[in-house]
C-alpha cells in the first residue's frame, strides 16, 4: 500500500459517537480552522493501539482518492490515526536515500538515539532510507527543506 494519496488532518478530538455498526464509530476533530469528522472502522490503523478519547490531539489520515460524501462538516474514512504529544508534529511520506521527503519539505538527521520501529512496534534495524515513513518531530530549521532530528520513526513496510 502506498501512502502518497493520503491527506493529513491534525486537531483535537471533540466528540466520539457510535457509527453505523457496533464496529465503527465517528470522531469529530477540531482543527485550527474547522470541525472535521472521521469514520473509524476495524480497518483503521491506530498507531500503538491507543484508545481514542475526547481532548486527545491526533493526526488522522484519509485516502484522497476515495469518494467522500458532500456534507458539512467534512467526513472522511480514517485510514491511519496517531496520537500526538505537546507541540509534536508528524509527517507521513516517502523519504529517499538522503532522508529527504518526496515533496522536499523535510530532511531527517538521524542519531543513534532515534527510535526507529515498524508499524507493529518491532525494532527496525536497517537504515530507513527509500521507504515510506511516519516521522514524529518537534522542531525544524528554517532551511529548505526544513531539517529535523526526529523523536521517533515508524517504518511503514510495504512488503
Amino acid at each position: 500500500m502506498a501512502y502518497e494519496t493520503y491527506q493529513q488532518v491534525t486537531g483535537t478530538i471533540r466528540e466520539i459517537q457510535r457509527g453505523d455498526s457496533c464496529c465503527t464509530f465517528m470522531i469529530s476533530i477540531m482543527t485550527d480552522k474547522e470541525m472535521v469528522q472521521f469514520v473509524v472502522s476495524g480497518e483503521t490503523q491506530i498507531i500503538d493501539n491507543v484508545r481514542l478519547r475526547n481532548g486527545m490531539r491526533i493526526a488522522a489520515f484519509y485516502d484522497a482518492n476515495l469518494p467522500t460524501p458532500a456534507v458539512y462538516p467534512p467526513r472522511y474514512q480514517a485510514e491511519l490515526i496517531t496520537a500526538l504529544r505537546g507541540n509534536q508534529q508528524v509527517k507521513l511520506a516517502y523519504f529517499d536515500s538522503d532522508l529527504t521527503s518526496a515533496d522536499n519539505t523535510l530532511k531527517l538527521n538521524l542519531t543513534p538515539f532515534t527510535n526507529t520501529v515498524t508499524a507493529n512496534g518491532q525494532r527496525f534495524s536497517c537504515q530507513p532510507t527509500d521507504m515510506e515513513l511516519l516521522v514524529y518531530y518537534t522542531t525544524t530549521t528554517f532551511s529548505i527543506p526544513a531539517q529535523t532530528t526526529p523523536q521517533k520513526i515508524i517504518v511503514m513496510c510495504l512488503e
Side-chain angles (χ1 to χ4, degrees), residues 65-125:
N65 284 346
L66 294 178
T68 58
V71 297
Y72 186 83
R75 183 178 305 155
Y76 304 106
Q77 173 64 47
E79 300 293 333
L80 185 143
I81 296 176
T82 187
L84 300 175
R85 295 181 176 94
N87 63 344
Q88 193 174 50
Q89 301 296 316
V90 67
K91 182 167 186 74
L92 176 63
Y94 176 84
F95 285 82
D96 65 17
S97 60
D98 294 325
L99 291 172
T100 301
S101 63
D103 62 3
N104 201 40
T105 60
L106 190 64
K107 179 169 176 24
L108 308 180
N109 298 315
L110 303 184
T111 73
F113 304 105
T114 302
N115 182 17
T116 306
V117 296
T118 60
N120 65 5
Q122 303 307 303
R123 191 169 80 82
F124 187 78
S125 58

Side-chain angles (χ1 to χ4, degrees), residues 12-16 28 52-56:
T12 303
I13 298 175
R14 293 292 182 220
E15 187 177 16
I16 301 175
S28 297
L52 302 177
R53 61 189 185 282
N54 288 337
M56 180 181 275

Side-chain angles (χ1 to χ4, degrees), residues 1-91:
M1 165 189 269
Y3 299 95
E4 63 266 357
T5 61
Y6 280 25
Q7 296 295 313
Q8 177 179 339
V9 176
T10 301
T12 303
I13 298 175
R14 293 292 182 220
E15 187 177 16
I16 301 175
Q17 301 172 4
R18 182 174 169 198
D20 294 336
S21 75
C22 293
C23 292
T24 64
F25 59 94
M26 187 168 321
I27 58 174
S28 297
I29 302 172
M30 182 53 112
T31 70
D32 291 338
K33 300 176 184 174
E34 65 180 342
M35 186 72 73
V36 179
Q37 294 180 329
F38 282 94
V39 176
V40 180
S41 70
E43 299 296 314
T44 303
Q45 182 177 9
I46 300 179
I47 300 297
D48 295 332
N49 293 316
V50 298
R51 185 173 181 179
L52 302 177
R53 61 189 185 282
N54 288 337
M56 180 181 275
R57 188 167 164 267
I58 65 167
F61 296 85
Y62 66 94
D63 189 340
N65 284 346
L66 294 178
T68 58
V71 297
Y72 186 83
R75 183 178 305 155
Y76 304 106
Q77 173 64 47
E79 300 293 333
L80 185 143
I81 296 176
T82 187
L84 300 175
R85 295 181 176 94
N87 63 344
Q88 193 174 50
Q89 301 296 316
V90 67
K91 182 167 186 74

Side-chain angles (χ1 to χ4, degrees), residues 132-143:
E132 297 275 350
L133 306 176
L134 184 63
V135 179
Y136 298 81
Y137 61 96
T138 53
T139 58
T140 63
T141 63
F142 290 107
S143 60

